[in-house]
Each structure stands twice: as C-alpha cells, then as structure tokens.
Amino acid sequence: MKHRAFTLIELLVVIAIIAILAAILFPVFAQAREKARAASCVSNMKQIGLAALMYAQDYDEVYVGSYVFPNGWANCPMLRFNDLLHPYMKNMDIFACPSTRRPLVDDRGRLNCAPIAAVYGSAIGQEPGTSVRPLAFGYLYNESYNDTAYCDRCDCSTGLNCYHGVLASAVFSPALGTTVSDVGAALAAIEDVAGTIAFSDGNPRCPHDENASGTIAVFRYPRDTDVEYDAKGNHYPGSGCYMGGEKVGRVGRRHNMGANHVFSDGHVKYLRKTTPSMWTRYQD
C-alpha cells in the first residue's frame, strides 16, 4: 500500500495558518487574562472601600487618613492608611493588585517599630512594608492637595488651595514642630460620596513604574491625576506624568487601558478616564 506524505508546501501552509491564528488569538487571550485580573482587583478594592466605611463608623464618621505619625514624620510609628485599615480586613494581600508587582518599601519609621509590628502581629524587625518584608501594594489614596505651582487663580477661601480630596487636613503639633496626622474628611463634608474617589489603581510616579516606593497617595491635584484641569477650570499643561502624549499622572491604567477606583460610598468603578470633580469632595 502506497503512503502519501505531506509536501513541503502543505506543511508551510499549515504553519502559516497556525501563525495567523496565534497572532489573532494571543491578544484576545491576553485581554481575557487581564479581565480576570481586573475582576480580582475590583474584589480587593470593594473590601478596601468597605473597611474604610467601617473605620469611619468607629471614628465619629471621619474617613480614614492617609498617614498617622505621632512622633513626627518618618519616626516610629509611621502608619499609613493600609495599616489603619488592616484590623478591618486581616489580609495584607488585599492591597496587592494582581496586575502590578510594585512593593511598598520604606524603612523610615517602620522597621524595628513595635507599634507597626503589633498591627500585623509580626515579630519586631519583620514589619510589612520594609526592606526586610516588602508589601505588595497597588492602590493610592486621594489626598488631592492643590498644585498651586501651576495655578494663578486658585482661591484658598473656597478650600481649593488646600486638601480637598478625602483628606481634610494635616494636624500640626507645636510641641513636635511637625504634622502628627493627615486626617480624613468627615463623611458629611464629602458632598458627593458617590462621585468622589477615595482610592485608585496607582503607581508612585508613572503607571509603568514597578519600582519599590513608600508613596501611597495621589498628592498634588491635578498633577498626580489623569486630568489636566481642576474643578475650577484652571489648566495645568505639562504637570505630572504623560505617556504617549496622554496625561496619566499616578493613576495606574493597568486594566486594558483603564483603572479601578473606589468611591467614598464604597462602590468600585472601572474608568478609562476620570473627570476633575471626581478628585474633590465638593458637589461641583
């Protein structure tokens, strides 16, 4: 019986077809994989939002602040919002977005610090968020301090020349000569809780930056956001991080060119682009 083998041309055609199908399907598979990661990220952020509301219920309806440093900046204990929310979640992995590898690392005021160790039940010298024990971290707090360096029409009397995100103010201690706590806003002061961002997918400098950092907040507004205008219409061209000519700030648009955001009422929303008013606690 005569057996007929594949010709070289037939093999090349089959290989070409497989290559074409792979080129078509691989991006689809990558998008599907990223959608799964984004869904996991949404779950994390919902838990963060719920923990923040539970915190507020325990502290006279005042939202969690970004930092608490009773002995001065960078002195033990240097507590961040994730430390303050940890007792309500008991799971450090919640602060790890599955689409980023950036760790929180800052030994100042954390390493060999008993109060930090007590939060996590760790041994002294093994505190999370230090060089000894990096903490996977993918989310930033909305401080939103007005970027006056780019604004010549900012009006401090309306609160737009100071903190106006979910952070209310920095409390000063004359005895210490420094701030002792970055205090969250009262829930009643957040005029649009459903429209004000509390936490976002983010990176410390630019979205492609996966380096270790101690940064945990979107600070300057709108420099660190993905918008060029503030809620008063002031334009801030060239301020902050751009990628491909598009303003991105510290917002981590890592989920198919978009980012997840926790709003102050606890709900999570995926957005390709935010609007200026989402970063302030004012109705307008």
Side-chain angles (χ1 to χ4, degrees):
M1 183 176 179
K2 185 175 181 180
H3 296 281
R4 182 176 180 274
F6 289 110
T7 66
L8 178 60
I9 295 298
E10 288 172 331
L11 288 173
L12 292 175
V13 169
V14 170
I15 292 171
I17 292 172
I18 293 173
I20 292 170
L21 290 174
I24 295 172
L25 294 176
F26 281 172
V28 175
F29 292 152
Q31 288 184 359
R33 184 168 58 250
E34 185 50 50
K35 283 184 178 179
R37 291 173 178 163
S40 178
C41 176
V42 167
S43 176
N44 288 349
M45 298 186 87
K46 283 183 177 178
Q47 293 181 72
I48 292 172
L50 178 60
L53 291 176
M54 293 170 65
Y55 178 97
Q57 289 176 354
D58 285 347
Y59 290 93
D60 298 324
E61 298 295 307
V62 173
Y63 214 75
V64 65
S66 53
Y67 292 95
V68 173
F69 33 100
N71 296 318
W73 182 263
N75 294 320
C76 172
M78 187 73 168
L79 293 155
R80 291 161 166 78
F81 77 86
N82 56 296
D83 304 317
L84 301 175
L85 295 183
H86 180 71
Y88 299 90
M89 297 181 294
K90 300 294 185 180
N91 186 350
M92 291 183 291
D93 294 337
I94 289 174
F95 289 97
C97 175
S99 295
T100 182
R101 298 179 300 277
R102 182 178 75 86
L104 171 64
V105 174
D106 192 349
D107 290 347
R108 303 171 305 162
R110 293 184 69 85
L111 186 61
N112 298 315
C113 180
I116 297 289
V119 170
Y120 295 95
S122 67
I124 296 177
Q126 295 294 319
E127 297 83 359
T130 63
S131 58
V132 175
R133 192 178 175 189
L135 177 64
F137 201 82
Y139 308 119
L140 299 183
Y141 181 103
N142 176 19
E143 285 191 344
S144 286
Y145 184 86
N146 203 75
D147 194 358
T148 54
Y150 287 83
C151 178
D152 58 3
R153 298 190 301 277
C154 298
D155 183 3
C156 192
S157 65
T158 63
L160 290 177
N161 196 22
C162 50
Y163 291 103
H164 49 251
V166 293
L167 187 73
S169 64
V171 177
F172 290 86
S173 168
L176 295 172
T178 183
T179 54
V180 296
S181 182
D182 290 349
V183 180
L187 288 178
I190 303 175
E191 297 176 4
D192 182 13
V193 291
T196 302
I197 292 171
F199 309 98
S200 293
D201 268 318
N203 276 317
R205 287 167 287 274
C206 292
H208 60 269
D209 184 358
E210 297 288 348
N211 296 323
S213 173
T215 301
I216 52 90
V218 171
F219 177 52
R220 291 286 183 183
Y221 166 76
R223 181 195 71 180
D224 296 334
T225 71
D226 58 351
V227 295
E228 286 188 317
Y229 289 84
D230 65 18
K232 300 286 282 186
N234 297 307
H235 192 204
Y236 297 70
S239 173
C241 179
Y242 286 73
M243 294 183 68
E246 184 179 5
K247 175 68 184 297
V248 290
R250 289 181 176 175
V251 176
R253 294 171 55 188
R254 56 177 69 104
H255 304 300
N256 293 319
M257 299 305 295
N260 291 319
H261 304 270
V262 183
F263 287 79
S264 301
D265 65 349
H267 84 277
V268 178
K269 189 172 184 179
Y270 171 86
L271 296 170
R272 290 190 180 274
K273 195 79 171 176
T274 67
T275 62
S277 61
M278 290 179 179
W279 298 98
T280 73
R281 59 179 179 269
Y282 310 111
Q283 185 65 48
D284 61 355

